[in-house]
Amino acid sequence: MSHTAPTDAALVAALRADLTRAGYTADAVRRVWGPVADAATGRGLHGPALRALEGRGDALAVLCRTLFLGTAASVADVDRALPETGARGLAALGLVTVDGDTVTPAVLLRPQDLADAAGAVSWWVVSDLDEAAVGGALPTGHVLGVGGASLTLAGLQLSTPAERVLDLGTGCGIQALRARRAAPQVVATDVSERALRFTELNAALNGLDGIETRHGSLFEPVAGERFDRVVSNPPFVITPRVAGVPEYEYRDAGFAGDDLVAAFVSGVGDVLTSGGTAQLLGNWEYRDGQDGLERVRGWVAASAVPLDAWIVEREQLDPLSYAELWVRDGGTVPGSPEYARLIDAWLDDFAARGVTAIGFGYLLLRRTPIGMPPLARYERVSQPVAGALGPHLGEALAAWDRLGLLDDEALAAATVITASDVTEARHHRPGEEDPTVIELRQGGGFARVLDVDPALAALVGASDGDLPVGVLIDAIADLLGADATALRADLLPRVRELVFTGFLRVA
């Protein structure tokens, strides 16, 4: 796609109508080539899908081959599949090139489903050709399509309404499209003019107004402005700053080590309204024995404005595994001399800073509301999580704010209700009546599993909203023969934790 080509509204409308008429949806694509081929395409292997489409000339098959997989087609086939747009229309939009009777894709245009608290939505997303379509290493100006990381962040986005949202490092614009569902105004920024053109086209193709694009790095394009929410899947990948190592715009912003994420964390407070939130994905280094999460804590402390921080480390890689991940991501073939050279460059870079591991995870930051206690939570959560986390994160923040208004006396006077997704498991040694382990399991949220003692298990089991927490604790103390005052001092902080993490809610 030409980075200077303006978006032709009439052609885009024609393409939208053609795609709708052809039934070019994610579900339809999966049905066309079946589950095995679908899994293969997710791994960058197009062979099974192409074999499944062999001999088919219907519109959906043509679109799958040409727009999803990036293989050439005839002008006649494309004209039949997209009667209003035609091959020439796609070329005018910069999506293909036409040479004689051959249509060669210049980009991918793929259907994408997304579900959040507002319901399910289907989009079409245009991005650059992937490795399988290119047939080798990606160009450094590559604009990435919708991948696992971008879907993760889309699912993390808070679903509560906002007025203005900043999507920093928008790429193909998937986060901007997602943010537009919660806010009437979205500003999408990127250092890549090409990425901004993709974002504009994707907004137009899906009939979304209210998305403004701006060119620039970090917060420069929005200096002096304020937003209720900032979302970012920034180019956080740690890349050696040496000659001969490709610098991919979609993953590398030219910063050394984890300095990009540090700059985001320490600077985002300046563009947030009071109570405004920022959400991003990021990497952080473990250096010379220093805990990576403590590094993030230092970045939060460096903010000029007070920030709440909820940092969740989801994964930790050693330097070699990290290097292999991103060298492969660029399309360099394992086992080749170039692969070995790039791996050495990564390892030398990590060794120079004393890096022993690299953490990856989610960062939720908030400009601390005036008069509220700050949130500072740094944790490791490695278990699989099902579904979008955005609603859970929003409920946790609301719970934190409500708990901040309740001292221990007020909490004891409140009633709480056990969440409907919480179950209890008890483990007994053979022949013993009393359990040796009692677990509370969370079906939603972060799917936490907590070991609890009989007193807390009894409190959670009795929390149906009828009796205040303090009354329940007194009854449990009497049942266990414990001191009621001591039991309150023990259980009330843990009740706060269970309310924040979603096991309990204040009635």
Side-chain angles (χ1 to χ4, degrees), residues 226-240:
R226 296 289 181 271
F227 296 86
D228 306 299
R229 192 165 299 155
V230 178
V231 296
S232 183
N233 183 11
F236 58 76
V237 175
I238 299 167
T239 306

Side-chain angles (χ1 to χ4, degrees), residues 243-432:
V245 175
E247 296 181 12
Y248 295 100
E249 288 181 346
Y250 73 90
R251 71 183 202 190
D252 175 21
F255 286 70
D258 51 17
D259 287 354
L260 172 70
V261 181
F264 184 104
V265 172
S266 59
V268 71
D270 290 333
V271 302
L272 288 174
T273 59
S274 178
T277 57
Q279 295 178 272
L280 70 152
L281 307 179
N283 280 153
W284 40 86
E285 295 180 336
Y286 287 68
R287 295 184 185 175
D288 293 325
Q290 182 189 21
D291 188 283
L293 289 179
E294 287 304 309
R295 283 179 59 74
V296 181
R297 192 187 295 271
W299 303 339
V300 173
S303 171
V305 299
L307 287 179
D308 292 342
W310 186 3
I311 314 300
V312 180
E313 183 175 275
R314 294 287 284 151
E315 186 178 16
Q316 194 179 121
L317 293 177
D318 62 79
L320 177 58
S321 298
Y322 188 90
E324 289 182 316
L325 170 67
W326 293 111
V327 173
R328 286 196 305 267
D329 177 79
T332 305
V333 178
S336 67
E338 178 66 2
Y339 184 85
R341 185 187 69 79
L342 290 175
I343 294 293
D344 284 343
W346 248 275
L347 295 181
D348 288 346
D349 180 60
F350 285 137
R353 288 192 306 280
V355 175
T356 56
I358 303 93
F360 164 80
Y362 318 148
L363 299 91
L364 172 56
L365 307 166
R366 182 171 68 163
R367 187 162 179 166
T368 306
I370 297 172
M372 296 299 293
L375 169 64
R377 189 179 183 94
Y378 299 79
E379 59 180 327
R380 294 177 176 87
V381 181
S382 59
Q383 65 267 18
V385 175
L389 282 167
H392 173 70
L393 299 179
E395 291 163 3
L397 287 180
W400 177 264
D401 291 342
R402 186 165 188 182
L403 289 168
L405 301 174
L406 301 176
D407 59 16
D408 281 354
E409 184 177 350
L411 181 59
T415 56
V416 295
I417 299 173
T418 302
S420 59
D421 65 329
V422 173
T423 57
E424 181 188 280
R426 294 183 175 233
H427 303 273
H428 300 254
R429 288 195 178 94
E432 294 186 1

